[in-house]
């Protein structure tokens, strides 16, 4: 059984990491164009670095929650591949082995010159922190308006799903949101989100609950039935 998980900010909400679009979400406090676009980086790199330093500190202080851990347990009985829009590492810290980050990883820094090598981001990233080729480092995060290099790999993963779990994403950020459409015929699609988005033209089971409640229950049920 091939289970593919498409996760978004909502799966980490119960770990205390702010989502983007809920009422107390990040974008209530920041404007996308000030901190998460290439233009913002050219205009005020110090502000952008500071924004992501705060995100990194928040992630470091957080712990995986019951939803991340349930997905890690599911690996005992199924092939589980996670395609996440999240830049945190809470799936990995819970023990998930196959995690593809569509929008980058906050624990890594990236060079600003090709081939855009990544490096562990020890503490904060400061102006003047350079890669070995002498270029400024930036967060390894895909900003709005930038290409999503992992998209094709993610689409190929979704195309092989027997079950697609869509967890904690408003499905408003494209191209990530379009990945659901790659689910093959016969794939069972389950959406877990208290404010589950509508997915048009597809047969979907919706569970309007928090991921930390619904996922452990679903995984226990499946493990009882040995997928
Ligand atoms: P989003 O904020 O647009 O949507 C979050 C969704 O999670 C909403 O539909 C909400 O109803 C749901 N949700 C809230 N609490 C939940 C819970 N306990 N259980 C299940 N669902 C819950 O976030 P998104 O769809 O991921 O897309 C926006 C962008 O946000 C992505 O590009 C992503 O990279 C970025 N982001 C990442 C993080 C992170 O790394 N943890 C945090 C914030 C935003």
């Amino acid at each position: 059984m091939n289970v593919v998980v498409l996760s978004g900010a909502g799966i980490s909400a119960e770990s205390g990491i702010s989502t983007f679009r809920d009422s107390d979400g990040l974008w209530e406090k920041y404007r996308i164009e000030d901190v998460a676009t290439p233009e913002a980086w050219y205009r005020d790199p110090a502000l952008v670095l500071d924004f992501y330093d705060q995100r990194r500190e928040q992630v470091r202080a957080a712990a995986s929650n019951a939803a991340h851990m349930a997905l890690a347990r599911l690996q005992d009985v199924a092939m589980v591949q996670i395609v996440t829009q999240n830049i945190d590492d809470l799936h990995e810290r819970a023990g998930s082995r196959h995690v593809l980050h569509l929008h980058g990883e906050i624990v890594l820094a990236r060079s600003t010159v090709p081939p855009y090598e990544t490096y562990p981001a020890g503490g904060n990233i400061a102006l003047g922190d350079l890669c070995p080729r002498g270029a400024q480092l930036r967060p390894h995060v895909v900003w709005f308006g930038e290409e999503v290099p992992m998209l094709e790999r993610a689409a190929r993963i979704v195309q092989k799903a027997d079950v697609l779990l869509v967890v904690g994403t408003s499905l408003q950020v494209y191209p990530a949101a379009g990945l659901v459409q790659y689910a093959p015929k016969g794939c069972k699609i389950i959406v877990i989100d208290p404010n589950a988005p509508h997915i048009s033209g597809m047969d979907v089971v919706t569970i309007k609950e928090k991921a930390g409640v619904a996922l452990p229950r679903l995984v226990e049920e499946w493990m009882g039935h040995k997928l």
Side-chain angles (χ1 to χ4, degrees), residues 7-15 17-22 25-27 55 58-59 65 67-68 84-90 101-104 106 141-142 144 167-173 176 192-197 207 209-213:
S7 70
I11 200 167
S12 297
E14 288 159 84
S15 295
I17 299 181
S18 327
T19 64
F20 274 17
R21 283 184 183 71
D22 289 319
L26 278 177
W27 300 121
R55 305 279 73 73
Q58 195 184 26
V59 166
N65 64 49
H68 300 107
T84 187
Q85 296 171 76
N86 295 346
I87 56 175
D88 67 54
D89 58 352
L90 299 184
H101 287 269
L102 270 180
H103 294 159
I106 192 65
V141 165
V142 175
F144 289 91
V167 188
T169 170
S170 60
L171 294 179
Q172 286 192 26
V173 175
I192 299 174
D193 190 315
N195 300 302
I207 303 175
E209 274 182 301
K210 290 187 172 183
V213 175

Side-chain angles (χ1 to χ4, degrees), residues 1-202:
M1 176 71 78
N2 201 1
V3 179
V4 176
V5 183
L6 194 55
S7 70
I11 200 167
S12 297
E14 288 159 84
S15 295
I17 299 181
S18 327
T19 64
F20 274 17
R21 283 184 183 71
D22 289 319
S23 51
D24 60 344
L26 278 177
W27 300 121
E28 297 276 301
K29 299 173 208 133
Y30 296 90
R31 296 190 324 150
I32 288 176
E33 50 271 34
D34 289 341
V35 290
T37 62
E39 293 73 23
W41 175 249
Y42 294 128
R43 201 170 42 238
D44 192 347
L47 178 75
V48 174
L49 288 175
D50 181 56
F51 174 76
Y52 285 102
D53 285 346
Q54 289 178 45
R55 305 279 73 73
R56 196 177 305 103
E57 273 164 33
Q58 195 184 26
V59 166
R60 287 219 167 100
S64 311
N65 64 49
H68 300 107
M69 291 193 226
L71 291 176
R73 273 200 307 282
L74 187 60
Q75 296 174 123
D76 290 347
V77 293
M79 172 66 184
V80 181
Q81 299 189 82
I82 298 174
V83 175
T84 187
Q85 296 171 76
N86 295 346
I87 56 175
D88 67 54
D89 58 352
L90 299 184
H91 282 300
E92 288 92 337
R93 280 200 255 154
S96 284
R97 291 188 291 274
H98 306 288
V99 185
L100 184 147
H101 287 269
L102 270 180
H103 294 159
E105 295 171 68
I106 192 65
V107 293
L108 297 178
R110 199 194 90 179
S111 173
T112 41
V113 295
Y116 306 122
E117 299 281 352
T118 56
Y119 308 91
N124 293 342
I125 304 174
L127 283 178
D129 286 353
L130 307 179
C131 75
R133 294 152 65 99
Q136 174 67 43
L137 290 173
R138 57 165 269 189
H140 178 49
V141 165
V142 175
W143 288 325
F144 289 91
E146 291 190 310
E147 284 198 20
V148 181
M150 292 295 178
L151 192 67
E152 278 186 26
R153 254 180 76 189
R156 282 199 296 275
I157 291 172
V158 175
Q159 278 170 335
K160 298 216 175 78
D162 298 311
V163 176
L164 179 64
L165 285 174
V166 181
V167 188
T169 170
S170 60
L171 294 179
Q172 286 192 26
V173 175
Y174 280 84
L179 282 171
V180 179
Q181 307 296 332
Y182 286 87
K185 221 170 165 234
C187 172
K188 181 165 188 174
I189 305 176
I190 302 172
V191 179
I192 299 174
D193 190 315
N195 300 302
H198 175 68
I199 301 178
S200 61
M202 303 190 87

